[in-house]
Amino acid sequence: ANGRRLPCDRIRLADEVVTVAHIAAAYRREIDTRPKPLGRYRHLTKLIEDEYGDRPAADFGPRALRDIRELLIATGISRQTINEQVRRIAMMFEHAVSLELIELEVYQRLLTLKPLRTNQTTAPETKRRTPPKIEHVRAALEFMSPPARAAIIVQAMTGMRSDEVLTMTPGDIDRSGDEWLYRVREHKTQHFGVERTVPIVGLAKEAILEFVEREPSEFLFSAKEGRDWFLAQRRASRKTPVSYGNRPGTNRKKHPKRAPGKRYTPNSLCQQVVSACKKAGVPRWTPGQLRHLTATEVADAIGLEHSQALLSHTTSTMTRRYEHSKKREEQKAIEAARAVRFKI
């Protein structure tokens, strides 16, 4: 009716040529039905639509994919990120194959484009994230609000991701035994069927004692409580008498554009950490680096397998990306060299 038609991933008309725009639209609909991590690839669908949207999908080959890669290189992003995004574009066509929009051969041709290698491109390299020094973490903690300080301590002692820590509620913590167990409701690998349980013991348990006696559905680490603490510290250090100048609260906006939320977000916690590092006069570090610190500490103390279990990785290969122990690897190499006992 009036020239309208059904979406291309539901019906394929005999006289219709499937274009790259159809491939991008089909993948965009797939993104909208999946968890949020896929949302960061929406800009790629827009990119291939703008550059090759009118081209038949069957004619989109390695040369066109290489041209898009050159555009990504020109933006200045890292080599590793470019390789990831090129793989994702190929996966768009793989998704189209599953919908029977294109033939398998179209997708297989794209796989012949080899990824960029180190020192073979002008794209910069990504610096490997390293753990912060523990003395720098201690120094920055002195300049954080109590909820943010507790969140950082828990993250450092458990190796959790920031969003896993900041969504903790009393109802998620099993406190029936001596060791508390935090059942993570939403996490990065839950779509693989992985159940995430984090032990809350030692310093992590002590850090949240003052926050767990609240409503079961209330977040432990409140951004509003952190803001109120900073305002109280500012009032306490005020030198001007209260009878002079602005009284507390008189110049505060009634409807601010960005009011503090019920909990910290990864970005707001990171901003407070960076500010605390500046006040403490120590090198900048971020909450995401604490996972590397925990993985290295556990691997050095009792082994890589235990570090893998704490971080809830499905493979030890992923855990090795987080632990940064050169001494342990060097010691293994020394032991291996000593094991060579033949004489020449």
Side-chain angles (χ1 to χ4, degrees), residues 21 23-33 42 45-46 49:
I23 304 298
Y27 193 73
R28 196 156 45 238
R29 282 189 287 273
E30 174 69 10
I31 285 176
D32 293 339
T33 62
R42 287 184 66 90
T45 63
K46 181 72 166 54
E49 276 183 335

Side-chain angles (χ1 to χ4, degrees), residues 58 78 87 91 109 116 118 140 187 203 218 239 244 258 336:
S78 68
R87 285 195 301 269
M91 291 178 67
R109 289 203 310 266
L116 296 172
T118 307
H187 56 90
L203 290 178
E218 190 175 352
K239 296 181 179 179
Y244 292 89
R258 298 182 63 183

Side-chain angles (χ1 to χ4, degrees), residues 34-51:
R34 300 284 288 279
K36 59 182 181 181
L38 278 181
R40 66 182 186 271
Y41 297 117
R42 287 184 66 90
H43 72 283
L44 290 178
T45 63
K46 181 72 166 54
L47 175 62
I48 65 173
E49 276 183 335
D50 291 343
E51 298 296 327

Side-chain angles (χ1 to χ4, degrees), residues 88-138:
R88 182 58 56 174
I89 293 175
M91 291 178 67
M92 294 182 193
F93 285 80
E94 182 184 25
H95 177 65
V97 173
S98 70
L99 297 176
E100 298 185 359
L101 295 176
I102 58 175
E103 300 298 329
L104 178 62
E105 179 186 359
V106 180
Y107 165 66
Q108 290 177 331
R109 289 203 310 266
L110 298 179
L111 299 182
T112 61
L113 182 63
K114 301 300 180 182
L116 296 172
R117 302 295 182 185
T118 307
N119 299 326
Q120 294 181 355
T121 175
T122 57
E125 295 292 322
T126 299
K127 292 184 179 179
R128 188 184 181 190
R129 181 176 289 182
T130 57
K133 293 184 178 181
I134 190 63
E135 55 268 24
H136 297 162
V137 176
R138 292 196 191 102

Side-chain angles (χ1 to χ4, degrees), residues 54-271:
D54 296 333
R55 176 180 293 193
D59 296 340
F60 188 90
R63 180 177 297 180
L65 188 58
R66 186 190 300 272
D67 291 340
I68 289 181
R69 189 172 68 180
E70 292 299 322
L71 291 176
L72 294 174
I73 292 175
T75 63
I77 59 180
S78 68
R79 177 185 64 85
Q80 293 89 333
T81 303
I82 291 172
N83 285 338
E84 177 190 357
Q85 296 189 352
V86 169
R87 285 195 301 269
R88 182 58 56 174
I89 293 175
M91 291 178 67
M92 294 182 193
F93 285 80
E94 182 184 25
H95 177 65
V97 173
S98 70
L99 297 176
E100 298 185 359
L101 295 176
I102 58 175
E103 300 298 329
L104 178 62
E105 179 186 359
V106 180
Y107 165 66
Q108 290 177 331
R109 289 203 310 266
L110 298 179
L111 299 182
T112 61
L113 182 63
K114 301 300 180 182
L116 296 172
R117 302 295 182 185
T118 307
N119 299 326
Q120 294 181 355
T121 175
T122 57
E125 295 292 322
T126 299
K127 292 184 179 179
R128 188 184 181 190
R129 181 176 289 182
T130 57
K133 293 184 178 181
I134 190 63
E135 55 268 24
H136 297 162
V137 176
R138 292 196 191 102
L141 286 175
E142 299 296 327
F143 297 90
M144 297 183 196
S145 64
R149 186 185 306 121
I152 290 299
I153 292 174
V154 172
Q155 190 169 2
M157 300 306 297
T158 62
M160 281 192 284
R161 304 176 181 90
S162 293
D163 53 353
E164 294 173 347
V165 175
L166 298 176
T167 54
M168 291 179 68
T169 65
D172 296 329
I173 304 174
D174 180 2
R175 292 179 278 169
S176 58
D178 293 335
E179 286 78 25
W180 294 356
L181 297 175
Y182 168 39
R183 316 287 184 183
V184 186
R185 287 173 295 165
E186 297 182 2
H187 56 90
K188 187 177 180 180
T189 57
Q190 71 180 72
H191 58 285
F192 292 121
V194 177
E195 295 183 1
R196 183 94 161 96
T197 301
V198 182
I200 307 297
V201 298
L203 290 178
K205 185 176 179 180
E206 295 177 11
I208 66 173
L209 283 176
E210 63 177 295
F211 301 101
V212 293
E213 300 301 333
R214 53 182 66 188
E215 293 298 323
S217 60
E218 190 175 352
F219 294 113
L220 293 187
F221 310 116
S222 168
K224 183 178 183 302
E225 291 178 7
R227 192 276 309 269
D228 293 342
W229 181 85
F230 276 116
L231 292 178
Q233 295 297 308
R234 187 181 300 175
R235 287 194 297 270
S237 61
R238 173 174 175 155
K239 296 181 179 179
T240 305
V242 178
S243 58
Y244 292 89
N246 293 326
R247 293 188 304 276
T250 56
N251 61 344
R252 193 175 304 167
K253 292 183 179 179
K254 293 183 179 180
H255 304 286
K257 292 183 179 179
R258 298 182 63 183
K262 296 181 179 179
R263 68 174 179 88
Y264 282 100
T265 65
N267 285 339
S268 61
L269 180 63
C270 183
Q271 289 173 2

